[in-house]
Amino acid sequence: MKPLIIIESPSNLGLKESAQGKEPGVSKLPQHLKKHGLYDKLNPAQIIHLAAPPYSSQLDEASGVLNAYKIAEYAKVQAQELKRVLSTDSFPVVIGGDCSILIGNALALKELGDYGLMYLDGHTDFVLPSMSQTGGAAGMDLAIVTGHGHPKLTNIHQLEPYFEEENVWCIGNRYWDPEYVGLIQSSQIEYVPLSHLREMGIDTLLSLFFMHIEAKKWDGFWIHLDVDVLDHKVMPAVDSPQPGGMSYEELRELLIPLMAHPKVAGIQLTILDPTLDPYGIYAQRLIDNLIKILSPIFREVKDHDEIMRF
């Protein structure tokens, strides 16, 4: 077990305005989860806050991505801090923010060695700027970290790609537009949409993933969790809710064994928008499940008996 460190990365730069003149609320996620008890239950060894650049909705003409310069600069800050945390043999729980925070974390991992990515999301986020309807990096982050897009974001410190395609497993997509799905199907990414996952079974997928880790001899793997992978009935507080998503039971079945694997390097959590969850109803249920999911990592918690009762 390792000391757990929370890194707050409250960037909303990867999303378009939620309404005219209204910035996305995902930047409030760390404080929302803290308010509703996550930090008390995790009892982290340290909490690190990485202040994000102020929100804007400026399209960068060269890259076709909103706020590309700010995202790249923030990614460098993230990378430096994540490298420091991992050098202490701690387990980072990175709380966004939107999915563009993957860029900085991926940059850090590339600088440290050869890492894999378990990408859990209701969307593939594997699109090019020319295909995006919003220009938001949060919808392109998987493409960016595998080297697809403008070098402003894909080639920071000349390290493109941050993840090799064959080192990425993209799990849980349920957005079926042919052009959208076609791009990732033509890549070397291990793409398992939610319907396929349910056909093959989570145990089978985990067995295949663990064999892949051994065959590739990765230094470790990172987990991306966008909460819109969950069904909209249990997690509607996201910018793109959809029916037919994962249940919490499925999410736990998938993530708890991953957390117990010795090569897991850390996890990032994105997209829950507190402005869509004013009473913390959905945050509280997420927190209850995160405690179960993260339990293999804990070095110490305030109430171990409470966790064991879940």
Side-chain angles (χ1 to χ4, degrees), residues 160-172:
E160 177 183 299
Y162 313 133
F163 292 110
E164 299 290 344
E165 286 185 1
E166 58 266 28
N167 287 355
V168 175
W169 290 51
C170 179
I171 313 297

Side-chain angles (χ1 to χ4, degrees), residues 111-126:
E111 292 178 330
L112 290 172
D114 185 26
Y115 283 79
L117 174 65
M118 173 60 76
Y119 193 87
L120 307 178
D121 202 305
H123 309 81
T124 69
D125 292 350
F126 193 78

Side-chain angles (χ1 to χ4, degrees), residues 126 131 176-184:
F126 193 78
M131 298 170 60
W176 309 117
D177 178 83
E179 182 182 16
Y180 183 85
V181 172
L183 188 61
I184 197 167

Side-chain angles (χ1 to χ4, degrees), residues 43 47 53 58 77 111 117 123 134 148 171-172 199 204 237 245 268 305:
N43 191 26
I47 300 168
Q58 183 67 42
V77 174
E111 292 178 330
L117 174 65
H123 309 81
T134 68
H148 303 277
I171 313 297
E199 290 171 4
T204 299
Q268 66 177 54
D305 290 338

